Amino acid sequence: MSEQSLSASPSAISDQVGTKLLFENDRVRVWDLQLPPGETTGLHRHRSDFLYVVIGDGEFQTGFADGSRDPARKMVDGDVRFREVQGETVHEGINVGSTPWRNIVVELLK
């Protein structure tokens, strides 16, 4: 994925939430997400609840379509985060650390 502006048009918002789709059926979609230091996922949308599992240590930040950002957070190998989605959420993930970032994202479709 490449760096892109947070003020992207709606057509620039992707449904791809990771760098590689690993598995998909009618219940779940599993993504591998890998970002070099300083890179972003670009704006993408989630339409269902999801969780992610951090692989390795790193520092990650979430940016939003309006240009705002959550504070950067240090995360460690094995951290798991769950996000409930009401309708739709649009954001981007930014690797603000000095090492490659990796996590596995699991979208819960049902």
Side-chain angles (χ1 to χ4, degrees):
M1 305 224 156
S2 62
E3 223 167 302
Q4 82 179 35
S5 167
L6 281 175
S7 59
S9 70
S11 63
I13 300 170
S14 176
D15 288 323
Q16 183 173 333
V17 304
T19 48
K20 181 180 180 185
L21 182 62
L22 300 175
F23 177 83
E24 181 175 16
N25 66 20
D26 63 332
R27 294 178 172 232
V28 298
R29 190 177 298 126
V30 181
W31 296 90
D32 187 0
L33 172 60
Q34 298 185 45
L35 294 173
E39 288 292 311
T40 174
T41 61
L43 286 174
H44 59 272
R45 77 182 84 243
H46 292 273
R47 293 187 172 109
S48 59
D49 296 346
F50 66 98
L51 61 96
Y52 62 93
V53 181
V54 177
I55 301 179
D57 299 346
E59 194 168 355
F60 203 67
Q61 187 172 44
T62 302
F64 302 96
D66 66 3
S68 66
R69 292 183 176 188
D70 281 347
R73 56 198 179 278
K74 292 184 185 220
M75 302 183 77
V76 298
D77 186 54
D79 277 352
V80 178
R81 302 289 170 102
F82 175 79
R83 299 288 184 251
E84 187 174 336
V85 176
Q86 302 282 332
E88 175 181 276
T89 187
V90 175
H91 64 220
E92 70 174 342
I94 307 152
N95 180 355
V96 294
S98 59
T99 59
W101 173 263
R102 185 171 184 211
N103 67 18
I104 300 296
V105 181
V106 179
E107 296 180 285
L108 305 173
L109 304 177
K110 281 190 176 183

